Amino acid sequence: MAEMVHVSRHPLALDKVTRLRDTRTLPKEFRELVADLARLLFVEASADLPVTSIQVTTPMATCTGHVVAARIGLFPILRAGLGMANAILDLVPTAQVWHLGLYRDHESLEPVEYYNKLPAELDIDLAIVLDPMLATGGSASVVMEILTKRRISRIKFLGLIAAPEGVDRIREEFPDVPLHLAALDSHLNEIGYIVPGLGDAGDRQFAT
Ligand code: PRP
Ligand code: URA
C-alpha cells in the first residue's frame, strides 16, 4: 500500500501547504498556493510519463530531444479542483479537461452530482483526478467509478490534503490508483471536515 500513497516531502510543498492551512491566508494567496502545489504534485506524479525521441534543430546544431508520448486527461472535481486544473494546464497545455460538478450533502456527506461535461469517447492514456481535499473519499470514488466504467485503465489522484479515512477508502476500492498528496492529516471530525485540514477548500478559493 505504502508505495501507492505519495506524500510529498518537497520543502516547497511543505512550506506552501503550511501557508494554505493558515486562517490568515486570503483568497488571492490561497488560489496561488493551490496552483503552486498542484504544479509541484503534478511534476512528481508525472515522472513516469513515457517519452519518444525526436530530432530538434537548435541555432547551433541538430540533436536528439524528447516529447511526452501520452494523452493526458485532467478531471477536476468542481468547484475546488478548478484551480488545480488551470495550474497544471500551464505545464501540459494540450491536456484534455473534463469537468464534473459534485457537492457533498451536508447531512449524509454523500456526493451529489450537479454537472457532468464528460464526452462520449475518452481517448486518453492517463486520467488525473484533481481535488484539493480527500475527506471521506466519496467524491473521488464517484469520479474513479465513472472512469473505470469508461475503461480508463490508468488513473492517478492529485490532492492537497487527505484524511486517513479517504485514503483507506480509495485504497480499498481502487487499489491500482496512486494517490499524490501534499499532506496526510490526522482524522475527520464529526461533520466530515479534515483535521487539522484547511477548512472548506472551495469557500477559501472563491471567497464564499
Ligand atoms: C469538497 C472537496 C471535495 C469533497 C471532499 O467539495 O472539494 O470535492 O468536499 O469530500 P469527500 O472526500 O468526503 O467527498 P464540496 O462538497 O465542499 O464542494 P465545493 O468544492 O463546491 O465547495
Ligand atoms: N471538503 C473541504 O473543503 N474540506 C474538508 O475538510 C473536507 C471536505
Side-chain angles (χ1 to χ4, degrees):
M1 150 158 179
E3 66 274 14
M4 298 300 277
V5 182
H6 305 271
V7 183
S8 180
R9 299 304 301 164
H10 195 294
L12 289 176
L14 298 175
D15 178 290
K16 286 173 190 291
V17 81
T18 301
R19 290 196 279 139
L20 196 69
R21 294 182 190 278
D22 194 323
T23 50
R24 294 170 300 181
T25 300
L26 299 177
K28 180 175 185 294
E29 187 188 359
F30 192 92
R31 289 192 295 272
E32 290 164 359
L33 291 166
V34 167
D36 286 349
L37 282 163
R39 280 188 287 260
L40 283 168
L41 292 179
F42 180 76
V43 167
E44 293 184 347
S46 61
D48 60 354
L49 282 178
V51 292
T52 52
S53 304
I54 60 161
Q55 292 301 300
V56 59
T57 303
T58 80
M60 313 302 289
T62 295
C63 65
T64 302
H66 301 90
V67 290
V68 171
R71 296 164 302 173
I72 298 170
L74 303 179
F75 292 79
I77 303 179
L78 309 185
R79 293 173 297 167
L82 277 176
M84 297 179 73
N86 288 338
I88 292 169
L89 279 174
D90 290 345
L91 296 177
V92 281
T94 57
Q96 301 173 40
V97 184
W98 293 302
H99 300 91
L100 190 70
L102 300 176
Y103 70 87
R104 290 198 311 175
D105 179 86
H106 284 299
E107 297 293 322
S108 68
L109 299 183
E110 290 298 319
V112 180
E113 186 176 319
Y114 62 87
Y115 185 78
N116 184 337
K117 192 72 179 167
L118 303 184
E121 294 295 324
L122 297 182
D123 50 348
I124 54 171
D125 304 304
L126 171 65
I128 303 189
V129 180
L130 303 170
D131 196 327
M133 310 306 276
L134 183 67
T136 66
S139 304
S141 173
V142 165
V143 184
M144 291 175 195
E145 182 72 30
I146 291 171
L147 293 173
T148 305
K149 281 193 178 138
R150 298 281 194 99
R151 301 188 193 288
I152 303 294
S153 54
R154 282 200 77 203
I155 305 172
K156 296 188 181 205
F157 177 85
L158 260 63
L160 305 188
I161 300 182
E165 293 88 336
V167 169
D168 289 347
R169 175 170 177 172
I170 300 300
R171 296 299 310 121
E172 187 171 329
E173 294 180 5
F174 303 95
D176 297 331
V177 174
L179 307 177
H180 292 267
L181 309 167
L184 179 55
D185 275 7
S186 163
H187 63 279
L188 291 180
N189 69 10
E190 61 288 352
I191 56 167
Y193 274 75
I194 300 174
V195 180
L198 53 72
D200 189 302
D203 286 350
R204 293 196 62 187
Q205 276 184 83
F206 301 116
T208 49

